[in-house]
Amino acid sequence: MLVILGFLMVAAFMFLILTKRATPVVALILVPVIFGLFAGAGLGIGDMITDGIKSLAPTAALLFFAIIFFGIMIDVGLFDPLVRGILRLVRNDPMKLVVGTAVLAMVVSLDGDGSTTFIIVTSALLPLYLKLGVSPVILTVVAGLANGTMNIIPWGGPTVRAASALGISPSEVFVPMVPSLVAGLVIVLLFSVHLGLMERRRLGSLVFDQEMVSVGGGGSDTGRPARRTGGGAGGDADGGAGQFIDGLDPQRDTLRPKLLWFNAALTVALLVVLVMDILPIPVLFMIAASIALTVNFPKVKEQGEAIARHSASIVSVVAMVLAAAVLTGVFSGTGMVEAMAEWLLGVIPSSMGPFLAVITGVLSIPLTFFMTNDAFYFGILPVLTETAAQYGIEPVEMARASITGQPVHLQSPLVPAILLLVTLAGVSLADHHKKVLWRATVVSLAMLAVGVLLGQIPMG
């Protein structure tokens, strides 16, 4: 019964999201509550949801203060030089813009934090997407694919979880998978080229004024297209997007050119300490945001205005994180996760035992999408690994296979970073999923295939 309810709950949630019959926040709350009551949770559902909120509270705090910190860095002009450089390289070519998005997302993803990556990529490139008429959905798809593929780096989280769950070294898991990572990134770039060419054909030949290649084009209409063929923007150009166009106005009052090097040093220090794992990430962003506010906006009124400028993004993202806590709390509290895992093990015939590593890689694609990494790596992977040991498959080989589903996992509505990305880009989660899920699946399967071909993941 729990297995059936678990799959029905997931199906109902995805149906409501993809058909746009409910917002993610509403679906994340009501669907689990209804199915949790059917599962016999009763009044205990309150404790389950509270436990889920407790587990995701640090994530909500992280996103709250990360949005404030990087929002301030955008306000004061830290990323303006980066934007100018990208604009000069991209010019008016949609294909170059999309490929540049992928490259920038890959580079920034080296810090291991998806939220940071999406804030920087969106703030730097969204204004140009809107000016050129390129669909913001393309931005979310390419950035999501790039970050999801890079998510297997040891400090990104999944690799460490897999290694910790099985008592092995993260380097043993990751280093042999570097060729798979490279293959995945190449496929992401190929998807980016294809999407860029499609947008180029859709928009036709565009000619923009020279002012388009500087941040000076910020909030004006001087960079309007001289000729356009094809359809419209193909995406929602409003919502979370407008704030970034205004935010990159070179005449904005919030610019602090004299503090450029201080802000750069503060940001670099934050990322260095983040990688060193000295303090919890939410604490780091709390401290960094407080320092940034104090130095850049010493007056109390200015500090309040700085926070208020980014309040819309904060409310949207934190609300979805707390709503996601309802789903995770009910999933684990009712025992649905464990029941679904045991059912999956039961339906795998013994003749498939020698192929359990590959099966684990394939299963990681849907399972890490529908549940948290913690649930998969600490709940399901150890059980699969114990079974695989009977067929001579090493734990490290199972761990390598298990991380290949990360490109798809990153697109899950249970991942706060992807909710942040679509919110900032003004894109609906449904539109993002329609374009990204099959591409992410291709990347995951390609990474798994490369691992098998090179002998890092056993195939029978």
Side-chain angles (χ1 to χ4, degrees):
M1 179 60 72
L2 287 177
V3 174
I4 295 174
L5 286 175
F7 281 114
L8 285 176
M9 181 170 73
V10 170
F13 170 75
M14 293 304 299
F15 173 77
L16 291 175
I17 293 296
L18 292 177
T19 58
K20 299 183 180 180
R21 297 182 181 229
T23 63
V25 171
V26 171
L28 283 167
I29 294 174
L30 291 185
V31 172
V33 168
I34 293 172
F35 279 88
L37 292 175
F38 275 118
L43 295 178
I45 198 170
D47 292 332
M48 296 176 190
I49 294 174
T50 301
D51 290 339
I53 293 174
K54 288 178 180 177
S55 66
L56 287 182
T59 301
L62 162 63
L63 293 178
F64 187 103
F65 289 97
I67 291 173
I68 291 177
F69 178 81
F70 284 104
I72 292 171
M73 293 300 109
I74 294 166
D75 291 341
V76 300
L78 178 62
F79 300 111
D80 284 19
L82 175 64
V83 176
R84 284 194 291 268
I86 292 173
L87 291 177
R88 290 192 184 99
L89 291 174
V90 170
R91 296 285 173 168
N92 62 341
D93 188 345
M95 197 272 283
K96 290 182 180 178
L97 174 60
V98 178
V99 174
T101 303
V103 173
L104 181 61
M106 290 174 188
V107 173
V108 182
S109 293
L110 286 171
D111 75 343
D113 180 61
S115 300
T116 302
T117 299
F118 296 147
I119 290 173
I120 293 176
V121 171
T122 308
S123 62
L125 298 182
L126 183 59
L128 189 53
Y129 269 78
L130 298 179
K131 283 221 176 244
L132 289 177
V134 179
S135 170
V137 178
I138 303 298
L139 184 154
T140 66
V141 168
V142 172
L145 286 175
N147 185 254
T149 306
M150 288 291 291
N151 204 37
I152 72 167
I153 56 179
W155 54 91
T159 301
V160 172
R161 285 180 172 88
S164 300
L166 302 181
I168 54 183
S169 168
S171 61
E172 290 183 84
V173 180
F174 172 72
V175 175
M177 292 297 289
V178 169
S180 291
L181 173 61
V182 173
L185 294 177
V186 169
I187 294 175
V188 171
L189 287 174
L190 291 176
F191 276 135
S192 302
V193 171
H194 180 249
L195 288 168
L197 290 174
M198 289 176 61
E199 285 298 279
R200 181 194 281 173
R201 286 195 296 268
R202 183 178 67 83
L203 294 169
S205 177
L206 300 177
V207 179
F208 285 79
D209 296 338
Q210 185 63 23
E211 286 154 0
M212 266 298 297
V213 298
S214 76
V215 183
S220 69
D221 293 325
T222 56
R224 59 186 179 278
R227 181 170 68 88
R228 174 179 297 179
T229 60
D236 183 1
D238 299 312
Q243 58 181 306
F244 287 104
I245 296 177
D246 296 335
L248 293 175
D249 179 0
Q251 306 302 324
R252 60 190 184 275
D253 297 333
T254 58
L255 283 177
R256 298 292 186 270
K258 294 181 179 179
L259 294 173
L260 177 63
W261 291 110
F262 169 82
N263 288 314
L266 178 61
T267 303
V268 170
L270 169 65
L271 297 179
V272 169
V273 177
L274 185 150
V275 172
M276 293 173 66
D277 197 22
I278 296 175
L279 289 172
I281 297 178
V283 175
L284 287 177
F285 274 102
M286 285 180 175
I287 296 172
S290 299
I291 294 173
L293 280 169
T294 302
V295 174
N296 290 284
F297 305 103
K299 296 181 180 179
V300 174
K301 181 181 179 181
E302 292 177 335
Q303 292 176 5
E305 292 173 346
I307 295 174
R309 273 193 297 273
H310 305 284
S311 59
S313 296
I314 292 171
V315 171
S316 299
V317 175
V318 172
M320 279 193 279
V321 170
L322 295 177
V326 179
L327 180 59
T328 57
V330 171
F331 237 146
S332 59
T334 57
M336 288 183 188
V337 170
E338 293 83 357
M340 293 166 73
E342 292 176 4
W343 177 82
L344 285 171
L345 289 176
V347 298
I348 298 175
S350 57
S351 61
M352 299 295 290
F355 304 95
L356 264 177
V358 174
I359 292 174
T360 297
V362 174
L363 287 177
S364 71
I365 295 174
L367 292 185
T368 58
F369 181 83
F370 292 122
M371 62 182 64
T372 64
N373 273 339
D374 287 335
F376 178 73
Y377 288 109
F378 293 110
I380 294 178
L381 182 59
V383 179
L384 290 170
T385 302
E386 185 69 25
T387 305
Q390 302 174 22
Y391 299 93
I393 301 175
E394 297 293 328
V396 70
E397 295 170 329
M398 292 291 288
R400 291 170 191 158
S402 71
I403 63 175
T404 57
Q406 287 306 302
V408 176
H409 164 75
L410 204 280
Q411 319 310 321
S412 170
L414 297 179
V415 177
I418 206 66
L419 301 179
L420 174 65
L421 174 63
V422 296
T423 299
L424 295 181
V427 169
S428 75
L429 190 62
D431 289 338
H432 174 74
H433 278 164
K434 287 175 183 177
K435 286 186 177 291
V436 79
L437 286 181
W438 73 266
R439 291 181 170 89
T441 301
V442 170
V443 176
S444 290
L445 292 176
M447 293 173 68
L448 178 62
V450 171
V452 170
L453 289 173
L454 296 181
Q456 309 303 339
I457 299 171
M459 178 75 169

